[in-house]
């Protein structure tokens, strides 16, 4: 639980909420879930926000979050992607 909500609650906000401010806060919260718990759903939805959110502010927040990943985390994500058979 981060800021009183489970990861699934923050994911619902990032996917469904009309407020760009709330979606941006959801990116921040999901970033904490990734850092503290290595929640792979969190990082997936941050990437999704970067690729497809309609708000520049939300996409910027997602870019900042992903840009802050350590090299070992990037390697882990690449391995996860390969293991799932996801192609670019």
């Amino acid at each position: 639980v981060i800021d009183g909500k489970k990861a699934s609650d923050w994911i619902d906000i990032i996917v469904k909420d009309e407020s760009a401010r709330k979606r941006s806060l959801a990116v921040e919260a999901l970033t904490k879930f990734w850092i503290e718990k290595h929640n792979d759903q969190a990082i997936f939805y941050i990437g999704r926000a970067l690729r497809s959110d309609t708000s520049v502010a939300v996409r910027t927040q997602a870019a900042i979050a992903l840009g802050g990943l350590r090299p070992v985390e990037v390697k882990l994500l690449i391995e996860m992607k390969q293991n799932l058979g996801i192609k670019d």
Side-chain angles (χ1 to χ4, degrees):
V1 176
I2 293 183
D3 295 333
K5 292 180 174 59
K6 298 182 291 186
S8 60
D9 297 328
W10 288 114
I11 289 168
D12 283 344
I13 290 170
I14 207 168
V15 171
K16 299 176 184 174
D17 205 290
E18 293 182 15
S19 168
R21 185 178 187 296
K22 288 181 183 177
R23 292 193 314 274
S24 187
L25 290 172
V27 169
E28 288 183 34
L30 290 172
T31 301
K32 291 177 186 177
F33 271 104
W34 171 254
I35 291 168
E36 295 175 12
K37 304 170 196 262
H38 280 255
N39 181 309
D40 51 342
Q41 279 193 326
I43 205 76
F44 171 82
Y45 282 96
I46 293 168
R48 182 179 181 269
L50 177 62
R51 289 187 310 276
S52 63
D53 199 277
T54 57
S55 167
V56 171
V58 175
R59 292 193 311 269
T60 300
Q61 189 66 38
I64 291 168
L66 294 175
L69 293 176
R70 296 174 298 176
V72 68
E73 293 172 317
V74 173
K75 184 178 178 184
L76 174 66
L77 291 173
I78 291 169
E79 289 172 4
M80 288 170 51
K81 179 181 169 187
Q82 291 170 340
N83 290 339
L84 292 172
I86 298 171
K87 298 180 181 180
D88 292 330

